[in-house]
Amino acid sequence: MTQTMIEAGKLNVHFGSNHVVHDVSFSVAAGEAFGLVGESGSGKSTVLRCIAGLVDSWDGVLRVDGKQLGHRRDKEFFRQVQMVFQDPYGSLHPRQTIDRILSEPLAVHGIPDAETRITRALEEVALPRTARFRYPHQLSGGQRQRVAIARALIANPSVLLLDEPTSALDVSVQAEVLNLLADLRQARQLTCILVSHNLAVVGHLCGRLAVMQGGRIVEILSEAQLRAGQATHAHTQDLIALSHELEG
Amino acid sequence: MSRREWLLSDTPTSRAQAKWGRRYQTWLAFRRNKLAVAGLGVILVMLVLSLLAPVLATHDPGVQVLSERLQPPSAAHWLGTDELGRDTWSRLLYGGRVTLGMVVAVVVLVAPIGLIIGCVAGYMGGIVDKLLMRVTDIFLAFPRLILALAFVAAMKPGVESAVIAIALTAWPPYARLARAETLTIRNADFISAVQMTGASPWRIILRHVTPMCMPSLTVRVTLDMSSIILTAAGLGFLGLGAQPPTPEWGTMIATARRFILEQWWVPVIPGIAIFMASLAFNLLGDGLRDVLDPKQR
Amino acid sequence: MTQPLVEIQNLRVEFPSSSGGYNQAVRGVSMSLGREKLGIVGESGSGKSVTGRALMRLLPEAARVKADKLVFDGVNVLSASERTMRGLRGGRIGLILQDPKYSLNPVMTIGAQIAEAWRAHNKGGKKEALEAALNLLEQVRIRDPRRVLDSYPHEVSGGMGQRVMIAMMLAPNPDMLIADEPTSALDASVQAEILRLIDDLVSARGMGLMLISHDLPLVARFCDRVAVMYAGQVMETLPAQDLHHAEHAYTRGLLDCMPHLSEKRARLPVLNRDPKWLEPRS
């Protein structure tokens, strides 16, 4: 039995009078990749942002690596948990060079040897050296997402939260980024949670996934069950049917 | 490799090279804006003239020659004399020291205060925001000159008091502006991403939020330059700013305004100086805003 | 066969670049469209949207547009007067954009906006216009059209907003619809519904449809023909049902690099861009 890395128990989120996440519970083992699937408004991104500490109005239990999480997270937490956002155009500071963006986590955590670490991080995500002193707007969407991945991994986290990391990218670039994520996950033994509306993408990267609808988890199933179409809930069946239909 | 090539290299090998390359490119972009360069030139010329006032002045700015009052420009008095027979050219030079000094001092004081208050209010939100913005509202609610008057009256009249008084009354619009800018980016992913590094709120505000507010603030500051000069003049006119016989552009106009019909050059010459300074600051600010944004290049 | 609705021959579009030269966005595109459904597919930067906009002359002033032929139903778009173009845009050609949030006026009720669109191209009073708006909302299969008529754009969902957009575009009875990524901002289930709606309306009214999208399988399902664009050129045009037998390496690559639900692959094949694709084609 492997150790549990992330655990959510009876997680509820309110935005004002809006109850957006209802009693969500799941756990992710160390080194596992877990998917959260659902349509827009299903609360999947909100769950992820709760774990990341970017949403404040939640109650329930959240544990990472056995430690219970409070509403305020300490620096140690952010060394362990990192996130990649959906929109590579919006998640990089428009007035900072890639070099500056990548050195920020190192400066915050007081990690020495920024020079070699940045060079290595860029190599790891297959970005050319010339990208280092560029601004985000001088890079393509795929390159920017690579920068975002490099930033997330530069302080050696053990958990990577991925919020629709490829949905703003072209399919050919999506393939490259998914391959990169798969490689990095294996090389660094990362625990991942991937939020996506695309079943095929989740199926490609994750071993297990939860299907969300209206703020609730309606079903948790394995990748094999997903591919075999062994879903019990009607909403999951709909999503799978739709996905197959589009593959033609 | 020439220095220019080194600076413009597409593949800088070190941070220093990248930094200097960026500065050089900023300068190149700035240079393309002819009006902004002209503005910078005028400001530099004015600063140099003011600094060299003791050398360039033809007369003592404080000496009154009542037999030569209200003279038109001539060989002896290049820009004429005022109502007390003081040489306008010399007073303009010395006055530039006071006026430009006040403007610079106000800006140096005001912009950071407004920026920090606005960014903190916008970023923190909640009770901090409410508190800071109510204070801002209170300052905004008073007419600027009246509030400045009250401050100067409470302290002793003089240039330093005037600077502090103007600074205290000028920051609220900057705070408002900075807060509005901060609110638009507060929930942006790139700020969330910085939060995910574990950086403290202060670090986020100072290093990541304030740079986003700089362009609009720069423009606002340069647009305010002329009104700062005029507020200073108003205080001087009421006897609460620069004390006579210290020359100051605003006061020079204020005391000479009754001669506008007969000896028009007496108030008009300092007026032109104020106009030139304001325009130059505006042009410079416009140019700066454009080059400060890396996306514009 | 009658004369095609749209004829494009050797279309070239260039935008000024920051370094002073010109960037070629479209490099010699030729296609023709009858009253049929043509899909234009490509990645970002392939020039697919620019092609659609050139046809409506909606490109920024700085753009240089050249073509041997750019004709919509007998009207030469390159030389037509601005007045004629206004009649085409939103009159004979309807344009549906990606996000209805940005294309609808946030401070006007939906009914008023559709009525305005209708009155711009039809003669009639306010009452008739509102009636027409109601009728149009029914046509785009909105369940409670009276309620939607009085709501504001922010009060309806993304899918509903897109339906409203379509209703607005149908108001002047256009001959052709250009849909530029009409469903990219929507959930997959809503996506299918909207495309089915567009499909039905286009077939029922006998319009031409130009569906511009990055989503190859989706386009193939709803269109008769598909033109695949890369770097400002059409790589190949083929009947939609033959897509899976596409010959061009680029089309094949695009289809191949998507993850599939039906089969597990450890690695996704990566698209190798052949420099030969960039060479001008005849």
Side-chain angles (χ1 to χ4, degrees):
Chain A
M1 175 82 199
T2 48
Q3 175 206 355
T4 304
M5 193 64 174
I6 304 170
E7 197 183 344
K10 296 234 175 245
L11 183 69
N12 280 280
V13 182
H14 294 264
F15 288 148
S17 58
N18 258 359
H19 195 177
V20 290
V21 173
H22 297 261
D23 287 337
V24 162
S25 307
F26 62 88
S27 65
V28 185
E32 190 188 3
F34 184 75
L36 279 175
V37 187
E39 305 212 303
S40 54
S42 63
K44 55 188 193 302
S45 286
T46 310
V47 170
L48 199 73
R49 293 180 89 93
C50 269
I51 301 172
L54 296 172
V55 170
D56 218 19
S57 51
W58 57 273
D59 51 77
V61 181
L62 281 178
R63 278 200 197 93
V64 168
D65 204 9
K67 285 190 287 283
Q68 183 133 359
L69 299 180
H71 283 248
R72 292 220 162 269
R73 308 288 158 82
D74 53 7
K75 259 194 198 175
E76 233 5 77
F77 171 81
F78 290 117
R79 256 200 103 155
Q80 198 170 21
V81 180
Q82 276 300 315
M83 179 156 162
V84 175
F85 295 82
Q86 168 175 9
D87 179 12
Y89 297 83
S91 70
L92 303 178
H93 199 295
R95 283 165 179 270
Q96 294 177 354
T97 59
I98 307 310
D99 179 62
R100 173 85 203 278
I101 289 170
L102 292 180
S103 53
E104 190 67 10
L106 301 177
V108 169
H109 295 293
I111 300 171
D113 211 8
E115 188 71 32
T116 44
R117 271 178 186 268
I118 291 173
T119 323
R120 207 168 53 207
L122 287 175
E123 263 167 34
E124 203 173 23
V125 296
L127 275 173
R129 277 166 162 267
T130 50
R132 183 169 165 192
F133 296 107
R134 295 266 162 90
Y135 284 96
H137 68 95
Q138 293 167 318
L139 304 180
S140 71
Q143 287 178 317
R144 286 183 225 200
Q145 203 58 308
R146 285 169 192 272
V147 172
I149 293 170
R151 168 177 61 190
L153 295 180
I154 201 161
N156 276 324
S158 49
V159 175
L160 191 59
L161 307 173
L162 303 159
D163 188 3
E164 303 258 17
T166 61
S167 63
L169 306 175
D170 281 320
V171 283
S172 60
V173 184
Q174 165 174 292
E176 291 165 16
V177 171
L178 286 178
N179 284 340
L180 172 69
L181 284 172
D183 293 346
L184 289 170
R185 201 170 81 75
Q186 197 160 39
R188 293 172 167 240
Q189 295 298 308
L190 291 166
T191 309
C192 288
I193 298 186
L194 170 69
V195 161
S196 179
H197 67 280
N198 188 329
L199 273 181
V201 167
V202 172
H204 179 75
L205 219 56
C206 301
R208 230 155 42 93
L209 63 143
V211 180
M212 291 189 68
Q213 185 187 26
R216 292 187 166 81
I217 290 185
V218 296
E219 189 168 7
I220 294 183
L221 66 171
S222 71
E223 183 220 337
Q225 285 173 312
L226 174 76
R227 292 202 191 275
Q230 292 165 340
T232 50
H233 195 274
H235 184 62
T236 318
Q237 288 165 351
D238 284 350
L239 289 180
I240 294 177
L242 206 64
S243 191
H244 276 296
E245 204 179 307
L246 284 178
E247 274 170 30
Chain B
M1 189 156 61
S2 75
R3 188 177 300 158
R4 192 184 147 82
E5 275 166 17
W6 184 79
L7 284 169
L8 289 179
S9 158
D10 221 14
T11 52
T13 47
S14 68
R15 277 187 190 174
Q17 188 186 356
K19 196 154 63 178
W20 282 105
R22 239 169 11 245
R23 283 179 189 156
Y24 184 59
Q25 276 178 358
T26 308
W27 167 242
L28 288 182
F30 181 78
R31 225 172 49 177
R32 272 200 292 275
N33 188 340
K34 295 282 176 274
L35 284 174
V37 175
L40 181 66
V42 169
I43 291 167
L44 285 179
V45 167
M46 284 187 163
L47 287 176
V48 168
L49 286 180
S50 308
L51 287 176
L52 295 180
V55 184
L56 295 172
T58 48
H59 297 69
D60 184 324
V63 170
Q64 305 178 4
V65 186
L66 289 176
S67 57
E68 287 179 17
R69 48 195 299 271
L70 300 172
Q71 297 269 318
S74 64
H77 299 286
W78 295 352
L79 295 176
T81 58
D82 67 2
E83 75 280 8
L84 294 173
R86 294 173 294 198
D87 181 58
T88 306
W89 164 247
S90 310
R91 284 182 70 75
L92 208 58
L93 292 178
Y94 279 97
R97 293 181 146 195
V98 179
T99 304
L100 295 177
M102 276 169 91
V103 169
V104 170
V106 167
V107 167
V108 166
L109 276 175
V110 160
I113 295 177
L115 186 67
I116 295 296
I117 290 182
C119 288
V120 169
Y123 183 75
M124 296 290 193
I127 184 89
V128 179
D129 182 26
K130 285 216 177 71
L131 214 73
L132 287 175
M133 278 304 112
R134 285 306 81 78
V135 173
T136 312
D137 285 343
I138 292 171
F139 275 89
L140 265 178
F142 284 100
R144 197 155 152 184
L145 195 60
I146 307 274
L147 198 61
L149 267 178
F151 276 118
V152 180
M155 298 179 283
K156 73 171 190 9
V159 174
E160 300 83 10
S161 316
V163 166
I164 294 171
I166 297 171
L168 279 172
T169 53
W171 66 266
Y174 297 90
R176 282 261 167 213
L177 193 68
R179 177 176 174 269
E181 291 274 327
T182 308
L183 285 181
T184 61
I185 59 155
R186 182 174 72 171
N187 292 322
D189 275 350
F190 66 87
I191 294 297
S192 298
V194 181
Q195 286 168 348
M196 289 293 298
T197 62
S200 66
W202 274 110
R203 188 181 171 94
I204 298 177
I205 290 172
L206 290 178
R207 296 183 58 110
H208 302 277
V209 175
T210 51
M212 298 300 290
C213 305
M214 287 309 282
S216 49
L217 223 65
T218 313
V219 174
R220 180 71 210 239
V221 167
T222 54
L223 287 175
D224 268 1
M225 292 285 186
S226 45
S227 79
I228 291 173
I229 296 178
L230 292 178
T231 311
L235 284 177
F237 181 59
L238 293 167
L240 298 169
Q243 294 299 304
T246 315
E248 197 267 323
W249 292 355
T251 329
M252 284 165 76
I253 301 184
T255 52
R257 82 205 142 97
R258 41 198 168 107
F259 310 109
I260 186 93
L261 292 178
E262 288 82 27
Q263 287 86 19
W264 52 267
W265 58 90
V266 183
V268 163
I269 284 166
I272 290 175
I274 292 181
F275 170 74
M276 295 261 286
S278 311
L279 187 65
F281 275 119
N282 279 352
L283 293 176
L284 175 67
D286 229 31
L288 276 183
R289 182 204 42 196
D290 289 348
V291 296
L292 279 179
D293 187 353
K295 266 192 221 166
Q296 300 277 329
R297 272 176 268 144
Chain C
M1 188 177 153
T2 53
Q3 195 194 347
L5 202 55
V6 174
E7 264 189 287
I8 301 176
Q9 246 171 51
N10 198 18
L11 173 70
R12 296 176 171 277
V13 183
E14 297 172 329
F15 290 101
S17 70
S18 53
S19 57
Y22 277 85
N23 289 331
Q24 299 187 319
V26 177
R27 306 183 299 145
V29 162
S30 302
M31 56 177 74
S32 69
L33 171 75
R35 297 193 179 265
E36 59 174 336
K37 290 169 285 181
L38 172 70
I40 302 185
V41 186
E43 298 184 280
S44 45
S46 61
K48 54 188 193 303
S49 290
V50 175
T51 305
R53 269 150 210 256
L55 182 61
M56 296 181 83
R57 229 165 71 190
L58 274 176
L59 293 170
E61 297 248 326
R64 282 206 300 218
V65 183
K66 274 183 254 163
D68 295 348
K69 210 171 183 186
L70 187 62
V71 177
F72 173 80
D73 201 16
V75 180
N76 184 351
V77 174
L78 286 177
S79 62
S81 66
E82 196 44 41
R83 204 191 152 96
T84 319
M85 285 314 295
R86 274 202 297 274
L88 285 189
R89 289 194 284 257
R92 302 193 57 200
I93 310 179
L95 177 66
I96 301 171
L97 293 170
Q98 177 172 355
D99 202 335
K101 288 240 157 24
Y102 299 119
S103 354
L104 291 171
N105 183 342
V107 295
M108 249 169 109
T109 62
I110 286 169
Q113 291 186 54
I114 303 178
E116 196 182 87
W118 185 83
R119 285 182 75 186
H121 298 277
N122 295 281
K123 285 198 183 74
K126 269 202 174 140
K127 224 177 138 208
E128 282 170 283
L130 271 182
E131 213 124 289
L134 194 65
N135 181 281
L136 284 164
L137 285 180
E138 273 164 10
Q139 281 189 46
V140 294
R141 293 183 215 141
I142 286 178
R143 256 171 250 126
D144 190 358
R146 280 192 190 280
R147 192 182 56 80
V148 174
L149 211 55
D150 291 326
S151 23
Y152 288 90
H154 68 268
E155 296 171 326
V156 300
S157 67
M160 188 84 91
Q162 204 54 292
R163 282 169 199 267
V164 170
M165 250 342 268
I166 297 171
M168 254 173 94
M169 287 304 149
L170 291 178
N173 258 323
D175 294 303
M176 179 182 168
L177 275 185
I178 298 180
D180 192 348
E181 303 272 7
T183 61
S184 316
L186 306 173
D187 280 326
S189 56
V190 188
Q191 212 169 40
E193 277 172 38
I194 295 284
L195 283 174
R196 230 169 271 140
L197 172 72
I198 294 180
D199 187 9
D200 291 350
L201 287 168
V202 166
S203 310
R205 290 169 169 245
M207 293 188 281
L209 171 71
M210 190 183 269
L211 178 61
I212 298 167
S213 173
H214 68 281
D215 195 333
L216 195 50
L218 192 80
V219 168
R221 265 184 72 211
F222 285 94
C223 292
D224 306 323
R225 283 192 305 142
V226 180
V228 182
M229 284 188 71
Y230 175 74
Q233 296 188 90
V234 176
M235 290 292 117
E236 63 177 337
T237 307
L238 70 173
Q241 67 263 31
D242 295 346
L243 186 67
H244 288 274
H245 316 291
E247 274 166 21
H248 199 278
Y250 177 65
T251 319
R252 291 240 53 93
L254 273 189
L255 285 170
D256 225 31
C257 65
M258 270 180 273
H260 291 297
L261 204 51
S262 36
E263 55 163 330
K264 183 169 173 65
R265 290 184 291 183
R267 288 190 75 78
L268 296 169
V270 172
L271 187 63
N272 289 314
R273 287 155 208 277
D274 192 336
K276 253 192 276 174
W277 301 344
L278 292 172
E279 285 166 18
R281 13 192 71 223
S282 45

